[in-house]
Amino acid sequence: METGSVTTPFGRRSMTLGMLASQVMAGEIKPDQSVDKWKLFRALCEAKPLLGIGDRALAVLNALLSFYPKNELAQGNGLIVFPSNIQLSLRTHGMAEQTVRRHLAALVDAGLLLRKDSPNGKRYVRRDRAGEVDEAFGFSLAPLLARAEEIEQLAAVVMAERLHVRRLRERITLCRRDIAKLIEAAVEEDIPGDWQGLYSEFRDLIEGLPRSPTTAQLELLLDELTVLRTNILNQLEIQVKSTKQRGNADYIERHIQNSNPESISELEPCFEMKQGAIAEPDNDRGSVTAAKGRGETGHPFEQKEEEQSRRPGVRNDGGGLKSFPLGLVLQACPEILAYGPDGAIRNWRDLMAAAVIVRSMLGVSPSAYEEAANVMGPENAATVMACILERGGHINSAGGYLRGLTRRSEKGEFAIGPMLMALLRANAPAGRKVG
């Protein structure tokens, strides 16, 4: 210490053992010890969570350091600064003097400053005849110099922890991406498994994380996501191995059996305009009455024997699009059920019949639907109509939207899987956030 003795605070401020300990530590500074004040301040900014100080207290300390004339804190340069509260307020960009005093007290309590109060509590300096500082009263920066090594170590700990958390978050992000895309791929390929249950488990893990998680909570989440990802990968690897064992010949034979394009004439009872019939506008204001006037009632589809012999699962229909199991489509698009025969959909024939009614109700022209069926295949066209019905409140022109999807499908830029997955998430059980 500069005085070589203990200094007590002025006025009503009481002396504490913490202040005494800080003064004792400051008295142990080596004569040749020095540190760059701004480098030390940056370390303080890093270590602030462990030192128990806030941003505004650091702003006040920054102002105090700006009054120290040298860049190097050293015993030989003197360690007392004595600005008034008004000057500190100006250098803290207009911070109120009362706030300045409060944060000065916080810095003293944290052991980063020492008060060296004058007999009347004012801050000032006495100089000798040569103009050198003889004695100064104000705030001593000696604790900063004495604790420089400790502060740098604390800063290193905080930075290491921050880096660890950043890496944890990166790995969690990669796990989340892997799980979501692997489940989506499994659904698109119609691989057996409880994918909806796995996705619900995945969402529960993510949404169970607090807004500001601790490091331990992030580590636990990463472990759980890693286990879930491993489980999904194991199921997919089993499917890949079983596919290889069946051999190419069996795969090609099954592909030929499942490649059974529907004829366009089966999409609706009649696409040709009868004499005197009025063309339906391609917008979202269709009329069920107009649909009935064109005879679109009953079951206009003839079920082929080949369709009855198909195995349920993912297939390639027109345009190279994959179609999905009927149960998955109905789970994602439950609103279409009301338009099926007797309010139920039991097979693809019922779904395509319901799609014709929905097409008319939404104002999609026969030509737009026929074109979609040509490009996508009849089952996929019906699936897309069910999806459009499900999202009817978000689509201004169902006909224009369908034509846009048809054009994208022709270019190979459209897949039904993501659309169904989004609707599955939206129609998840109440009380569970999805998506």
Side-chain angles (χ1 to χ4, degrees), residues 97-285:
E97 290 185 37
Q98 185 177 3
T99 306
V100 169
R101 287 194 293 270
R102 185 170 70 250
H103 290 301
L104 285 170
L107 290 169
V108 172
D109 292 340
L112 300 176
L113 289 180
L114 280 177
R115 293 183 185 273
K116 186 182 178 184
D117 289 341
S118 65
N120 63 0
K122 301 294 184 181
R123 299 170 205 154
Y124 57 86
V125 62
R126 287 201 184 98
R127 300 181 184 274
D128 56 22
R129 292 183 179 180
E132 298 294 331
V133 174
D134 182 35
E135 189 171 16
F137 296 97
F139 289 100
S140 172
L141 302 176
L144 288 178
L145 181 58
R147 299 180 63 184
E149 185 176 350
E150 175 196 353
I151 290 170
E152 290 174 353
Q153 290 175 352
L154 292 176
V157 170
V158 171
M159 288 188 288
E161 178 71 8
R162 184 186 303 125
L163 180 60
H164 179 54
V165 169
R166 185 185 306 158
R167 288 176 176 171
L168 281 175
R169 290 185 178 276
E170 288 174 352
R171 294 173 64 188
I172 288 172
T173 299
L174 292 175
C175 266
R176 290 180 61 176
R177 185 180 70 191
D178 292 346
I179 291 171
K181 289 187 178 291
L182 288 171
I183 291 177
E184 182 178 342
V187 171
E188 286 194 11
E189 298 293 338
D190 193 30
I191 296 175
D194 183 18
W195 303 115
Q196 180 67 17
L198 289 172
Y199 186 82
S200 298
E201 179 183 351
F202 167 57
R203 294 307 306 175
D204 288 342
L205 289 176
I206 297 302
E207 289 158 10
L209 193 68
R211 190 176 186 86
S212 298
T214 63
T215 304
Q217 289 171 328
L218 290 174
E219 289 173 343
L220 178 61
L221 175 63
L222 178 60
D223 291 341
E224 292 173 334
L225 289 177
T226 302
V227 171
L228 181 59
R229 180 176 62 180
T230 302
N231 182 20
I232 294 171
L233 282 172
N234 288 339
Q235 294 188 47
L236 294 179
E237 286 175 0
I238 291 172
Q239 180 66 25
V240 170
K241 291 178 181 178
S242 64
T243 301
K244 288 182 178 179
Q245 290 173 357
R246 285 197 295 267
N248 292 335
D250 180 59
Y251 174 79
I252 293 172
E253 181 182 356
R254 185 174 65 256
H255 177 75
I256 293 174
Q257 290 176 352
N258 288 341
S259 298
N260 185 24
E262 306 284 351
S263 64
I264 303 304
S265 61
E266 295 183 31
L267 296 176
E268 295 200 22
C270 182
F271 278 112
E272 294 82 4
M273 299 299 298
K274 296 183 179 180
Q275 186 175 2
I278 301 175
E280 185 177 352
D282 192 8
N283 54 37
D284 60 342
R285 292 182 174 86

Side-chain angles (χ1 to χ4, degrees), residues 8-129:
T8 57
F10 170 79
R12 297 181 179 180
R13 290 190 293 268
S14 59
M15 183 68 177
T16 66
L17 289 178
M19 293 181 187
L20 181 60
S22 296
Q23 292 187 36
V24 171
M25 184 183 298
E28 298 174 353
I29 297 175
K30 298 176 182 178
D32 59 344
Q33 187 175 348
S34 65
V35 64
D36 185 288
K37 65 178 181 180
W38 297 122
K39 181 180 178 181
L40 181 61
F41 180 74
R42 286 192 293 272
L44 273 169
C45 292
E46 293 287 352
K48 68 178 180 179
L50 300 181
L51 292 170
I53 54 176
D55 296 337
R56 306 199 79 184
L58 285 173
V60 173
L61 182 58
N62 180 74
L64 282 172
L65 289 173
S66 69
F67 285 101
Y68 189 77
K70 306 285 186 178
N71 279 334
E72 292 287 326
L73 287 177
Q75 186 82 22
N77 297 332
L79 294 171
I80 303 292
V81 290
F82 38 88
S84 67
N85 286 342
I86 295 177
Q87 291 173 315
L88 285 174
S89 177
L90 291 174
R91 294 207 184 180
T92 53
H93 307 287
M95 186 182 294
E97 290 185 37
Q98 185 177 3
T99 306
V100 169
R101 287 194 293 270
R102 185 170 70 250
H103 290 301
L104 285 170
L107 290 169
V108 172
D109 292 340
L112 300 176
L113 289 180
L114 280 177
R115 293 183 185 273
K116 186 182 178 184
D117 289 341
S118 65
N120 63 0
K122 301 294 184 181
R123 299 170 205 154
Y124 57 86
V125 62
R126 287 201 184 98
R127 300 181 184 274
D128 56 22
R129 292 183 179 180

